[in-house]
Amino acid sequence: VSGSGKSSLAFDTLFAEGTAFSERSGDLDARVRLLAAYGGHRMLARCDFETARPHVDEASTLAEGGGDLATRIMAGLLRGQVLAWGGLFPEALASIERTVPLCGNDWDVGSELIGYSPRFAIGFYHVVSLVYLGRSTAAGALADGLLGWALATDDRFLHSSALSLAALVACLAGNEGMALGHAR
């Protein structure tokens, strides 16, 4: 537990220092990336929606005002992700639906910022939002497309993510056999 607290404090310190640097330099993209990453960290590592949301909201607003393409994609993805994890599915869906067109048909645009396909990640939270809003037909169609794309890659992370998503959709649609098949 103490090690976790120390790493969180180190992350907080890095965020503060990076924020000060990005403000002095006037680098909008650096500021947006810091805010988005820090908001994502607050939600995913600390399960702290209340402090995560203002960071991703600010990142998204700043990015829409002039960030480069990869930065706008990252900010929109992390905002959608935090909102979905926070259970605000209508807001998550709206954020995702504003972000996905930025990717076009390019599965790799912006991947240098998150380490894997942003279009896939955006699609993941698109499906999650739809399925929890009761739009299972649309969620299933999107999940099938993501699964087909992911399985055509050699990336086991993408494979397992897409299969877990397909299992979720099948489970919530009441198709237990299909859900178990994807999970296995």
Side-chain angles (χ1 to χ4, degrees):
V1 173
S2 65
S4 173
K6 286 181 183 179
S7 79
S8 289
L9 289 175
F11 204 87
D12 293 344
T13 300
L14 286 172
F15 174 70
E17 290 172 0
T19 297
F21 179 77
S22 69
E23 288 172 351
R24 281 192 312 271
S25 71
D27 188 336
L28 174 69
D29 290 326
R31 175 79 175 131
V32 169
R33 292 172 184 178
L34 281 164
L35 283 163
Y38 189 65
H41 165 76
R42 300 283 318 183
M43 185 67 201
L44 299 175
R46 299 181 182 182
C47 298
D48 186 354
F49 177 74
E50 296 305 317
T51 63
R53 182 170 184 180
H55 291 92
V56 295
D57 284 349
E58 183 179 355
S60 185
T61 298
L62 289 173
E64 288 173 6
D68 70 20
L69 179 61
T71 300
R72 291 192 327 262
I73 290 169
M74 177 190 183
L77 162 61
L78 287 171
R79 183 170 189 271
Q81 181 183 52
V82 165
L83 291 169
W85 278 101
L88 298 177
F89 300 112
E91 289 182 65
L93 183 61
S95 181
I96 291 299
E97 288 180 340
R98 280 192 310 273
T99 306
V100 75
L102 298 174
C103 299
N105 291 322
D106 188 343
W107 288 87
D108 294 319
V109 64
S111 61
E112 67 276 10
L113 296 182
I114 69 164
Y116 64 103
S117 170
R119 187 166 185 264
F120 176 84
I122 292 164
F124 186 97
Y125 290 102
H126 196 175
V127 171
V128 167
S129 297
L130 287 170
V131 77
Y132 281 109
L133 289 170
R135 296 171 55 188
S136 59
T137 302
L142 282 172
D144 288 347
L146 290 174
L147 181 60
W149 177 82
L151 293 178
T153 72
D154 62 354
D155 188 320
R156 289 179 172 252
F157 169 75
L158 294 173
H159 295 178
S160 63
S161 295
L163 286 164
S164 69
L165 185 62
L168 171 71
V169 171
C171 179
L172 293 178
N175 192 335
E176 188 176 301
M178 182 181 284
L180 286 172
H182 289 312
R184 287 188 179 116

